């Protein structure tokens, strides 16, 4: 979704503000802009394009002034145009506002404001906010009261920041169901949709809560409640991410850097405090029913975890896509809902948790982002410690979540007496980082060459059985989101129930094959491979055991124990999607139409 940033300092800020939205660009990148207050007035520069492109056209880094806000947009209401880019200004150009979220009643508000003489320049929902502030400031005089009054008229979700000529030394900001963090330092205060906005300047963070607004001055933050205007206590968190971890470190793209970080991701997930893991297993054991929820990649992570719970704890855990949770889940006080989210800000996942809480359920989360809304909403949060994930598509964060949930499944298994299984898998897990490293060291070249050879193929099928099935789904998602090719994942056994009719020489199939030691699972998967072969389909095997007779080509993986081998397939097929996208010259880190952290429903 969109990225908001802001800086209040005693020094010139335009260079830092530019850096800040550049670091937020993965949240949205169709247009951007800044508004800085200085002795000449309110300077607003904005245009369509990336932050770099816009800076070349309308220099953002050469604006005088020490108080400003900025925005990088992912269009929801209104096309991608210069007029629709943020910041938006009032009729008298004395206020500028940036916003993330959706104002549900904007049409009604717009009509009201137009009938009162306000002139709109954009077709965004955001613009009503700045005109409302202008309207109430005219009638009330006080800027703070006008800001709060305007917020009270909004229905929907928002993270909003405002600068004004009337109080040129400060930023006003507020949030409701859309993330907003404040970074503090002795001589300056920062604002961001996430910490990447100001990681280069400070790691001390105040997370604004829903229904709060804040007034930011250099080195000073005042947090208040929107409903009562009473001062609120602030908790300052220390974020342990560093600037280097949010940079490419010599790799051409964040995606490949993040794929390569995965041996470390497994180690970090293995180091998550055992008490937090056992605590979640204990909660599961104490509730009649547990649901796992996630959306997109995290839905597939939940599905992979489902197999771990079945195998290690002999428990069936229902998995629901967050956006379907309200329609499907049966929630009461004896229910536990575990949400999985990299950002901790995904609208649908937060909504599922809110729904669960309203019905008296207990809630938990596995999340990568300290201080995120999700972690503050749930009863028990596990921070997976995978470090910043900048590429829009999720790779290492997903793997980190799977490892955390594998540990929870083993802990639940132990509680139900399956101690040997739990211990075996935990011992095996110690070897996983090396196995992934070996795969990256030895197979990257082959996978890149394979991807290059077949990048012209427009249709891809990914098939797997057992836990390989959700890995196939995730591999298809990676492929389509980063290459824009058609890719479908499905249970291999499903094939002959319809999809087999698609198979021809233009439709390539990747089979995720378990090792021969898995007996029936191996045999059944090979049976499905035969079905594809018999219809003249081109077959690529992702497998540890050589099988040159059946497969046209192979992605050979290091051997690993049954519960961990699927994770090697996951990594190999991330590489395959990446190199296909590179061969097609796609915008790997920022695929078209996508944004990291989907904060609207
Ligand atoms: C796919 C991807 C998305 C996210 C989904 C949930 O590569 O990144 O499908 O997994 O939008 O996002 P989080 O994990 O932030 O809740």
């Amino acid at each position: 979704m969109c990225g908001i940033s802001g800086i209040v300092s005693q020094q010139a800020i335009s260079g830092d503000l530019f850096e800040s939205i550049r670091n937020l660009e993965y949240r949205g990148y169709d247009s951007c802009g800044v508004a800085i207050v200085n002795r000449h007035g309110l300077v607003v520069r904005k245009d369509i394009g990336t932050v770099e492109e816009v800076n070349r056209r309308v220099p953002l880094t050469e604006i005088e002034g020490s108080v400003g806000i900025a925005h990088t947009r992912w269009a929801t209401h209104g096309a991608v145009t210069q007029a629709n880019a943020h910041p938006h200004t009032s009729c008298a150009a004395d206020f500028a506002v940036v916003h993330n979220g959706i104002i549900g009643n904007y049409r009604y508000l717009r009509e009201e404001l137009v009938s009162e003489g306000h002139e709109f320049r954009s077709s965004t929902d955001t613009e009503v906010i700045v005109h409302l502030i202008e309207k109430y400031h005219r009638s009330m005089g006080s800027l703070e009261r006008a800001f709060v009054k305007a917020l009270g008229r909004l229905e929907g979700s928002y993270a909003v920041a405002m600068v004004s000529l009337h109080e040129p030394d400060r930023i006003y900001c507020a949030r409701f169901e859309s993330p907003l963090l404040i970074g503090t330092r002795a001589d300056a205060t920062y604002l961001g949709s996430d910490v990447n906005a100001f990681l280069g300047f400070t790691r001390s963070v105040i997370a604004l809560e829903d229904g709060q607004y804040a007034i930011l001055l250099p080195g000073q933050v005042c947090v208040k409640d929107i409903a009562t205007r009473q001062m609120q206590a602030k908790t300052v968190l220390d974020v342990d991410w560093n600037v280097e971890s949010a940079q490419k470190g010599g790799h051409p793209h964040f995606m490949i850097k993040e794929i390569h970080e995965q041996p470390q991701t497994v180690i970090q997930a293995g180091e998550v405090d055992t008490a937090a893991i056992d605590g979640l297993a204990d909660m599961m054991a104490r509730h009649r029913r547990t649901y796992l929820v996630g959306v997109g990649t995290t839905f597939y992570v939940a599905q992979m975890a489902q197999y771990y719970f079945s195998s290690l704890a002999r428990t069936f855990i229902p998995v629901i896509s967050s956006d379907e949770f309200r329609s499907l889940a049966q929630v009461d006080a004896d229910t536990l809902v575990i949400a999985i989210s990299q950002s901790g800000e995904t609208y649908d996942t937060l909504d599922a948790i809110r729904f669960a809480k309203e019905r008296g359920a207990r809630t938990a989360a596995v999340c990568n982002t300290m201080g995120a809304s999700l972690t503050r909403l749930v009863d028990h949060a596990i921070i997976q410690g995978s470090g910043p994930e900048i590429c829009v598509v999720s790779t290492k964060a997903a793997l980190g979540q799977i490892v955390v949930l594998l540990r929870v499944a083993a802990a639940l298994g132990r509680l139900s007496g399956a101690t040997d299984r739990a211990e075996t898998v935990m011992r095996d897990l110690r070897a996983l980082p090396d196995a992934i490293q070996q795969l990256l060291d030895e197979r990257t070249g082959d996978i890149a060459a394979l991807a290059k050879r077949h990048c012209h193929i427009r249709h891809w099928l990914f098939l797997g059985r057992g836990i390989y099935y959700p890995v196939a789904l995730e591999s298809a998602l990676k492929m389509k989101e980063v290459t824009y090719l058609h890719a479908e994942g499905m249970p291999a056994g499903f094939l002959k129930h319809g999809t087999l009719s698609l198979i021809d020489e233009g439709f390539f199939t990747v089979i995720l094959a378990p090792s021969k030691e898995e007996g029936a699972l191996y045999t059944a998967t090979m049976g499905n491979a035969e079905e594809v072969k018999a219809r003249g389909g081109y077959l690529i095997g992702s497998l540890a055991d050589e099988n040159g007779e059946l497969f046209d080509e192979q992605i050979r993986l290091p051997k690993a124990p049954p519960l961990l081998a699927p994770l090697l397939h996951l990594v190999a097929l991330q590489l395959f999607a990446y190199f296909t996208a590179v061969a097609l010259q796609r915008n790997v880190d920022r695929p078209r139409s996508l944004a990291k952290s989907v904060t609207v429903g």
Side-chain angles (χ1 to χ4, degrees):
M1 288 294 106
C2 308
I4 287 179
S5 94
I7 306 178
V8 199
S9 171
Q10 281 145 356
Q11 317 290 331
I13 56 155
S14 62
D16 289 350
L17 204 53
F18 168 80
E19 274 309 314
S20 173
I21 42 168
R22 220 162 49 150
N23 291 335
L24 285 186
E25 223 177 351
Y26 65 94
R27 301 181 65 95
Y29 30 84
D30 53 45
S31 50
C32 68
V34 305
I36 295 180
V37 201
N38 65 26
R39 63 198 163 101
H40 307 295
L42 186 58
V43 181
V44 176
R45 291 190 186 159
K46 60 182 187 176
D47 208 344
I48 58 170
T50 64
V51 177
E52 295 271 5
E53 285 162 7
V54 172
N55 186 45
R56 277 197 291 276
R57 248 175 280 135
V58 283
L60 305 174
T61 50
E62 291 163 16
I63 309 170
E64 196 185 303
S66 57
V67 176
I69 53 177
H71 190 267
T72 171
R73 180 168 187 248
W74 189 77
T76 53
H77 288 67
V80 180
T81 61
Q82 199 262 357
N84 287 342
H86 299 214
H88 293 284
T89 48
S90 52
C91 297
D94 46 353
F95 299 94
V97 157
V98 292
H99 161 235
N100 181 16
I102 289 179
I103 306 302
N105 59 338
Y106 88 101
R107 286 182 202 282
Y108 171 82
L109 293 172
R110 188 174 168 126
E111 272 171 32
E112 170 187 310
L113 289 157
V114 168
S115 73
E116 290 167 3
H118 287 264
E119 279 176 27
F120 280 72
R121 299 183 196 97
S122 77
S123 46
T124 63
D125 53 343
T126 302
E127 200 180 343
V128 298
I129 305 174
V130 74
H131 290 286
L132 279 175
I133 297 169
E134 180 176 47
K135 160 178 162 157
Y136 291 123
H137 185 252
R138 279 184 200 155
S139 63
M140 299 171 121
S142 152
L143 182 47
E144 183 174 344
R145 287 178 55 208
F147 183 66
V148 172
K149 176 91 177 162
L151 295 176
R153 298 288 317 277
L154 307 178
E155 288 169 15
S157 60
Y158 56 78
V160 62
M162 175 198 73
V163 287
S164 160
L165 289 180
H166 302 283
E167 293 181 21
D169 59 343
R170 63 195 63 196
I171 292 176
Y172 281 84
C173 60
R175 73 159 272 175
F176 186 73
E177 294 188 359
S178 197
L180 205 51
L181 300 176
I182 297 164
T184 61
R185 213 168 75 167
D187 57 343
T189 304
Y190 300 87
L191 185 66
S193 300
D194 65 49
V195 288
N196 291 310
F198 48 72
L199 215 47
F201 312 117
T202 180
R203 287 200 243 157
S204 300
V205 177
I206 298 169
L208 218 53
E209 303 284 349
D210 277 346
Q212 290 184 330
Y213 70 102
I215 304 167
L216 316 183
L217 288 145
Q220 276 180 52
V221 178
C222 169
V223 176
K224 294 188 177 181
D225 183 85
I226 296 174
T228 62
R229 290 188 41 218
Q230 295 298 307
M231 293 270 271
Q232 304 281 292
K234 301 169 284 200
T235 312
V236 182
L237 300 170
D238 273 329
V239 175
D240 58 3
W241 292 359
N242 57 37
V243 192
E244 294 72 44
S245 61
Q247 290 170 348
K248 282 189 204 145
H251 291 279
H253 300 103
F254 280 109
M255 183 172 175
I256 191 70
K257 177 198 177 227
E258 288 159 5
I259 291 174
H260 274 269
E261 282 171 349
Q262 291 181 111
Q264 190 56 28
T265 307
V266 175
I267 295 170
Q268 286 157 336
E271 285 170 354
V272 167
D273 191 5
T274 307
I277 302 283
D278 291 348
L280 185 53
D282 199 50
M283 281 174 93
M284 292 178 79
R286 280 188 285 108
H287 285 82
R288 192 166 54 88
R289 185 191 289 124
T290 298
Y291 289 106
L292 281 171
V293 299
V295 69
T297 289
T298 55
F299 175 63
Y300 300 143
V301 166
Q303 286 190 312
M304 290 175 223
Q306 191 176 40
Y307 284 87
Y308 287 144
F309 283 109
S310 272
S311 162
L312 293 169
R314 302 276 181 243
T315 310
F316 171 69
I317 307 289
V319 173
I320 303 183
S321 184
S322 313
D323 51 318
E324 292 298 325
F325 193 71
R326 280 179 184 265
S327 311
L328 281 175
Q330 300 302 317
V331 180
D332 59 20
D334 208 2
T335 305
L336 171 67
V337 181
I338 305 174
I340 306 161
S341 176
Q342 189 287 126
S343 62
E345 302 293 351
T346 300
Y347 179 88
D348 291 318
T349 302
L350 290 173
D351 185 61
I353 290 294
R354 288 192 187 106
F355 176 79
K357 283 172 79 94
E358 281 158 22
R359 275 153 187 76
R362 299 273 286 168
T363 54
V366 177
C367 183
N368 193 34
T369 312
M370 232 173 122
S373 306
L374 180 65
T375 62
R376 287 176 284 128
L377 206 57
V378 294
D379 301 306
H380 183 84
I382 297 183
I383 304 296
Q384 62 185 91
S386 310
E389 187 179 66
I390 307 294
C391 177
V392 163
V393 306
S394 188
T395 53
K396 66 170 182 171
L399 184 64
Q401 288 153 353
I402 297 164
V403 172
V404 166
L405 289 164
L406 171 68
R407 290 182 62 200
V408 177
L412 189 63
R414 257 186 239 112
L415 288 179
S416 53
T419 312
D420 288 354
R421 281 178 153 262
E423 250 128 55
T424 307
V425 78
M426 285 302 103
R427 201 184 45 243
D428 291 345
L429 186 58
R430 276 184 237 132
L432 184 62
D434 284 347
I436 295 177
Q437 193 60 56
Q438 188 190 343
L439 163 66
L440 294 169
D441 292 345
E442 295 175 4
R443 294 291 171 234
T444 299
D446 296 348
I447 295 173
L450 184 77
K452 203 167 170 191
R453 271 198 302 284
H454 299 308
C455 67
H456 61 284
I457 297 300
R458 310 251 347 130
H459 303 283
W460 288 89
L461 196 56
F462 292 79
L463 299 177
R465 280 179 177 261
I467 186 171
Y468 293 88
Y469 153 47
V471 178
L473 295 179
E474 167 60 6
S475 303
L477 179 65
K478 281 296 83 92
M479 189 70 163
K480 62 189 142 194
E481 62 187 336
V482 78
T483 66
Y484 320 154
L485 298 171
H486 168 222
E488 284 186 55
M490 89 184 44
F494 218 84
L495 186 65
K496 57 180 161 301
H497 299 285
T499 313
L500 199 53
S501 66
L502 290 177
I503 300 295
D504 62 16
E505 63 289 345
F507 208 113
F508 275 32
T509 303
V510 179
I511 300 263
L512 287 71
S515 79
K516 280 187 180 140
E517 285 84 73
E518 292 209 52
L521 196 66
Y522 171 80
T523 314
T525 308
M526 290 305 154
N528 300 125
E530 297 280 5
E531 289 161 10
V532 176
K533 188 85 173 171
R535 270 87 193 163
Y538 196 87
L539 263 185
I540 297 174
S542 173
L543 73 185
D545 302 303
E546 215 310 302
N547 193 336
E549 281 152 39
L550 182 56
F551 293 104
D552 295 295
E553 295 193 64
Q554 301 170 59
I555 298 171
R556 293 291 307 284
L557 308 172
K559 277 264 187 200
L563 286 180
L564 301 177
L567 305 184
L568 297 179
H569 291 251
L570 182 82
V571 174
L573 296 173
Q574 290 169 348
L575 285 171
F576 188 52
Y578 170 76
F579 285 113
T580 307
V582 170
L584 292 169
Q585 300 184 333
R586 301 297 193 233
N587 189 350
V588 176
D589 286 334
R590 296 178 202 152
R592 70 179 180 205
S593 307
L594 302 184
K596 197 138 188 97
S597 189
V598 184
T599 54
V600 292

